[in-house]
Amino acid sequence: MAAVTENDGVMRAADGTPLKQALARATRMNKMRAFLLTTPLLAFILVSFILPIGLMLFRSISAPEVAEAFPKTLEVLKQWDGEGVPGEDIYATLAAEMSDRDNRFNLGKAGTRLNYMESGFRSLMNKTTRRIKRAEAPFKDAFIKIDKRWGEADTWKTIRQAGSPYTIRAYLNAIDLTQEPSGDIVAQPEVKQIYVTLFERTIWVSIGVTVACIALAYPISYLLATLPAGTANLLMIFVLLPFWTSLLVRTTSWIVLLQTNGVINDILVWIGIVGDDNRIQMIYNMTGTFIAMTHILLPFMVLPLYSVMKTIPKDHMRAARSLGANPAIAFMRIYMPQTVPGVGAGSILVFILAIGYYITPALVGGQDGQLISNIIEYHMKKSLNWSLAAALGGILLAGVLALYWLYNRIVGISNMKLG
Amino acid sequence: MSALPSYAGPLERFWYYAFRFLCGAIFVFLISPIIVMIPLSFNAEPYFTFTPEMLALKSEAFSLRWYQDILDNEQWLHSMKNSFIVGIAATLLATSLGTVAALGLSRAEMPYRTLIMGILLSPMIVPLIITAAGLFFFYSYLGLAQTYTGLILAHTALGTPFVVITVTATLSGFDRNLIRASSSLGSSPQRTFFKVILPLISPGVISGGLFAFVTSFDEVVVALFLAGFEQRTVPRQMWAGIREQISPTILAVATILVCISVLLLATMEILRRRSERLRGLSPS
């Protein structure tokens, strides 16, 4: 397009629009085109991946069950001052809502929800629902006759609290806290305090695995980066073959190697280090989880480290030596600082993958080798406490996303490389 | 490290050999779990360790019975078929979606690149258990749980980040003048894509596809939540095998899977070399 100057002195494109405007439009068109290319995948990921996870996490704060089962009771309860026992009108409303046949399905769900807040509530609800239908006024006495808990203020406070459709209770549970009927937030009884310990254990294992991976990856990456290309490529098979081998295959073979009648124990017995009758228990505990996870995640450390080390000129070390540094000092002062980006990238990657690990701890972890992912699965599939599973997942996800953000700051997501 | 310099002192000499020994030990750690089970899968006895007869290399200690077991077992054959159906479908979907997205992402004009890249790569970062739980609820609600479609869509989402990463990496070395030349010669954007861009970035596309395939072929957590008995994949079947009662058949399956990974690794290596050659030829 030829630019023409009209008498007002503004540069114009051939169609008469000012050049600046035409240029802006062209840029916008190009931006639009680039963006349009990403839309199919973006839409797919948003709908089939991000949305489901968002909806799942919503379960951690959503608690509509009690509000759906007892809308009228909750309305009347608002006027109650929280002292002593509520009046007859509240008992009567609750009795009506409990006897309503259309409400049966909601009652069951409300019982489950209340049971998360106060154990024993489900059976209290079931028992009361069964018997209150035949009861007659005054309902207050009828309720207390069925179970004396109905005469306690705390029972009603719990129902009132559960009436809110949103709750942070699952998050409190996930960090071993609980809310009393009075509204105070206190620590869970000691026997129920397991999640903080589990989070701590998961973090410690992930740190341990990351450190082990650095310790093992550093020497071999250095060797690979400094050997002639042909030999290095050959040795690279030792890193890439495990990288490409199925996770389950590698976990299986660690079971084979580590079990009490397995290959490693056999070798130890044969050498004579260990007696035949006190073979070492290396699996179905933390040791097994740790060894297998380190093995599985090691390539994720070697690959970024190797690609960073390959770019460090060999002359640097030689120059340091010629200036009088001994090998150790030359390495510490010249070489190591240059590998920090690689260590950082690899560490975050390994840590992110380790902290969400599920398969290996589930298979080789035994009782005390379980991590936070395993307890999420337990609450998803066995205990069916989905809001707690979602809250634990939410905390885990927040941690991972924070690390992902950090990775982006340090390495840049666009620089992520594979193999 | 390449060679010991002539001025090296005794301490340095010692360190040189000690270092090589250390590296050798780490390589053994990396490879031995994969090597060990291959001979064990030919064990004639149902043990997970070497029998004295095997160590003496007696021929009757070895047998193919566990491989025969796979062929005789309806469930294993079915799960192999499922793994290929789901894997191939997910790979095709992930590769086409991912390649197109990578084309957009590698354009200089791309707005919000980091944010969009972050979203597109998130399936690789989000812990699998959270993904599985989220998809389980959503797909159950849509009636897609325990269907092939559900599993394929889930595996597609998990595979796309690998395609995006490899294709964007290949495109970063791509000469954009070729596109301009092609359009100035009058070809449509589609024609330019299929005749000019795709042939040149094909190594990246194929290796991205291989990554996507391996991701699906190796995936077990989502399969645990989403796949019904009908959709059992090989990893899902192995999972059941390891959990319930471990039999040497698992080792035979594992050996076959190792052979598949060797093939994939070789393909990747050939692609890498080809891509380097292409890049060397194209003017930059």
Side-chain angles (χ1 to χ4, degrees):
Chain A
M1 267 183 252
V4 272
T5 317
E6 289 193 357
N7 38 16
D8 58 355
V10 177
M11 296 273 276
R12 284 173 192 281
D15 59 354
T17 50
L19 194 59
K20 225 176 178 176
Q21 207 178 316
L23 197 66
R25 191 197 299 152
T27 324
R28 214 166 41 236
M29 284 286 284
N30 274 335
K31 273 192 179 175
M32 208 53 206
R33 241 177 246 149
F35 184 72
L36 273 179
L37 285 169
T38 59
T39 33
L41 182 57
L42 194 60
F44 176 74
I45 295 292
L46 286 176
V47 173
S48 74
F49 185 78
I50 308 275
L51 178 70
I53 291 177
L55 289 176
M56 196 256 314
L57 291 181
F58 181 66
R59 277 170 196 271
S60 63
I61 53 160
S62 149
E65 296 89 350
V66 176
E68 277 167 11
F70 307 120
K72 292 188 198 114
T73 311
L74 289 167
E75 193 59 38
V76 201
L77 254 180
K78 270 187 197 154
Q79 274 117 47
W80 176 49
D81 57 1
E83 296 294 321
V85 196
E88 169 69 16
D89 55 332
I90 297 181
Y91 283 99
T93 321
L94 183 60
E97 279 180 322
M98 275 186 158
S99 324
D100 185 358
R101 285 184 63 82
D102 297 338
N103 210 2
R104 252 183 320 177
F105 187 58
N106 289 338
L107 286 174
K109 287 201 290 183
T112 309
R113 165 65 59 185
L114 285 163
N115 207 55
Y116 292 151
M117 306 183 65
E118 185 85 46
S119 52
F121 229 113
R122 189 181 0 228
S123 58
L124 173 66
M125 290 288 289
N126 287 344
K127 184 166 76 174
T128 314
T129 314
R130 238 181 0 255
R131 297 198 200 156
I132 202 70
K133 289 171 197 155
R134 292 188 295 270
E136 285 167 14
F139 287 104
K140 186 170 180 172
D141 298 333
F143 267 98
I144 295 173
K145 211 178 132 200
I146 291 169
D147 195 303
K148 62 176 186 303
R149 272 177 286 180
W150 287 113
E152 289 162 15
D154 277 0
T155 309
W156 290 97
K157 283 182 185 160
T158 306
I159 293 179
R160 187 162 67 173
Q161 237 180 50
S164 156
Y166 300 102
T167 170
I168 55 158
R169 175 164 288 274
Y171 280 97
L172 292 177
N173 280 348
I175 50 172
D176 290 340
L177 298 174
T178 187
Q179 195 171 18
E180 289 196 324
S182 60
D184 294 339
I185 291 167
V186 293
Q188 288 269 25
E190 223 153 284
V191 284
K192 283 177 132 188
Q193 291 184 13
I194 48 170
Y195 302 113
V196 171
T197 324
L198 207 57
F199 272 115
E200 280 172 359
R201 183 201 283 172
T202 308
I203 290 170
W204 279 115
V205 171
S206 306
I207 292 176
V209 168
T210 311
V211 171
C213 281
I214 297 174
L216 295 177
Y218 208 92
I220 57 171
S221 310
Y222 181 73
L223 184 74
L224 288 170
T226 48
L227 279 176
T231 328
N233 274 344
L234 209 63
L235 284 178
M236 203 63 189
I237 294 175
F238 287 92
V239 179
L240 289 177
L241 186 60
F243 183 70
W244 281 93
T245 303
S246 158
L247 238 151
L248 276 175
V249 169
R250 288 195 271 162
T251 309
T252 313
S253 63
W254 278 113
I255 297 177
V256 169
L257 280 169
L258 294 176
Q259 61 180 299
T260 17
N261 289 313
V263 176
I264 290 181
N265 262 313
D266 278 358
I267 293 174
L268 291 177
V269 170
W270 182 67
I271 299 175
I273 299 177
V274 176
D276 199 11
D277 39 356
N278 48 29
R279 287 163 173 258
I280 310 169
Q281 175 79 27
M282 286 180 286
I283 207 157
Y284 307 122
N285 55 25
M286 204 40 125
T287 320
T289 304
F290 192 83
I291 296 175
M293 274 174 75
T294 305
H295 181 254
I296 288 163
L297 295 174
L298 189 51
F300 291 93
M301 184 69 85
V302 176
L303 295 173
L305 209 48
Y306 168 71
S307 68
V308 167
M309 284 178 173
K310 229 170 64 167
T311 62
I312 301 174
K314 286 180 188 172
D315 307 347
H316 288 188
M317 283 287 273
R318 256 181 250 141
R321 294 291 309 275
S322 78
L323 290 170
N326 75 36
I329 290 190
F331 183 79
M332 300 274 276
R333 304 270 304 264
I334 305 298
Y335 196 84
M336 225 155 73
Q338 298 190 64
T339 60
V340 169
V343 176
S347 302
I348 299 181
L349 205 58
V350 168
F351 191 82
I352 287 181
L353 293 170
I355 206 168
Y357 237 71
Y358 170 73
I359 298 172
T360 310
L363 288 176
V364 303
Q367 270 287 309
D368 53 291
Q370 302 290 304
L371 301 182
I372 202 74
S373 280
N374 306 103
I375 202 80
I376 296 178
E377 193 258 4
Y378 169 78
H379 284 304
M380 277 291 298
K381 294 202 119 171
K382 305 249 167 58
S383 87
L384 303 182
N385 190 346
W386 289 339
S387 47
L388 182 56
L392 291 167
I395 296 174
L396 176 63
L397 187 61
V400 167
L401 290 182
L403 288 166
Y404 187 34
W405 176 81
L406 195 69
Y407 183 89
N408 181 37
R409 289 297 296 270
I410 297 175
V411 195
I413 302 175
S414 350
N415 296 329
M416 208 181 268
K417 282 199 193 80
L418 297 164
Chain B
M1 204 71 224
S2 40
L4 200 56
S6 49
Y7 50 79
L11 190 68
E12 222 169 311
R13 265 167 213 284
F14 168 77
W15 174 241
Y16 177 84
Y17 291 108
F19 181 76
R20 302 221 149 188
F21 177 78
L22 178 74
C23 288
I26 299 169
F27 284 127
V28 169
F29 170 72
L30 271 167
I31 208 77
S32 55
I34 295 164
I35 301 298
V36 159
M37 59 191 179
I38 296 175
L40 282 179
S41 71
F42 296 101
N43 199 340
E45 305 297 326
Y47 302 136
F48 285 109
T49 190
F50 294 97
T51 55
E53 292 78 23
M54 280 182 97
L55 293 173
L57 293 179
K58 287 193 180 133
S59 61
E60 65 268 22
F62 294 89
S63 98
L64 287 173
R65 60 185 278 207
W66 309 115
Y67 290 86
Q68 187 62 43
D69 235 30
I70 303 174
L71 295 176
D72 292 341
N73 190 323
E74 194 61 39
Q75 279 181 24
W76 277 114
L77 295 177
H78 185 67
S79 59
M80 286 258 178
K81 201 180 87 192
N82 279 342
S83 268
F84 277 104
I85 294 174
V86 173
I88 289 170
T91 303
L92 290 177
L93 266 170
T95 312
S96 33
L97 284 170
T99 305
V100 174
L103 282 175
L105 282 168
S106 60
R107 285 196 176 197
E109 309 88 18
M110 183 65 201
Y112 310 111
R113 179 183 287 118
T114 313
L115 175 70
I116 291 177
M117 194 79 166
I119 295 173
L120 295 186
L121 299 192
S122 60
M124 197 170 75
I125 297 297
V126 173
L128 277 167
I129 193 76
I130 296 178
T131 307
L135 296 185
F136 170 70
F137 284 121
F138 191 65
Y139 287 14
S140 306
Y141 177 74
L142 294 180
L144 286 174
Q146 313 212 342
T147 65
Y148 284 97
T149 321
L151 199 57
I152 289 169
L153 289 179
H155 281 188
T156 304
L158 290 176
T160 49
F162 298 99
V163 181
V164 172
I165 290 177
T166 49
V167 179
T168 355
T170 318
L171 279 169
S172 70
F174 184 78
D175 185 3
R176 306 220 139 244
N177 287 323
L178 296 174
I179 302 176
R180 269 181 228 132
S182 164
S183 23
S184 80
L185 290 168
S187 63
S188 65
Q190 289 80 13
R191 201 176 151 82
T192 306
F193 175 73
F194 285 109
K195 292 281 174 185
V196 179
I197 305 176
L198 197 57
L200 283 171
I201 62 166
S202 63
V205 176
I206 296 172
S207 62
L210 285 179
F211 266 111
F213 182 75
V214 170
T215 309
S216 164
F217 203 74
D218 192 20
E219 203 289 321
V220 60
V221 186
V222 172
L224 272 173
F225 278 77
L226 278 187
F229 190 76
E230 258 308 290
Q231 293 85 33
R232 274 196 172 194
T233 56
V234 172
R236 178 67 188 77
Q237 182 73 22
M238 275 186 88
W239 172 273
I242 300 170
R243 282 225 129 173
E244 284 145 25
Q245 37 114 232
I246 184 160
S247 99
T249 315
I250 300 267
L251 295 188
V253 176
T255 306
I256 295 173
L257 290 181
V258 169
C259 294
I260 295 178
S261 6
V262 170
L263 278 177
L264 287 171
L265 178 61
T267 320
M268 287 297 275
E269 187 57 24
I270 292 166
L271 284 171
R272 197 179 60 82
R273 297 216 170 138
R274 191 181 127 87
S275 149
E276 270 172 10
R277 217 174 45 236
L278 281 176
R279 217 173 281 182
L281 282 176
S282 66
S284 52

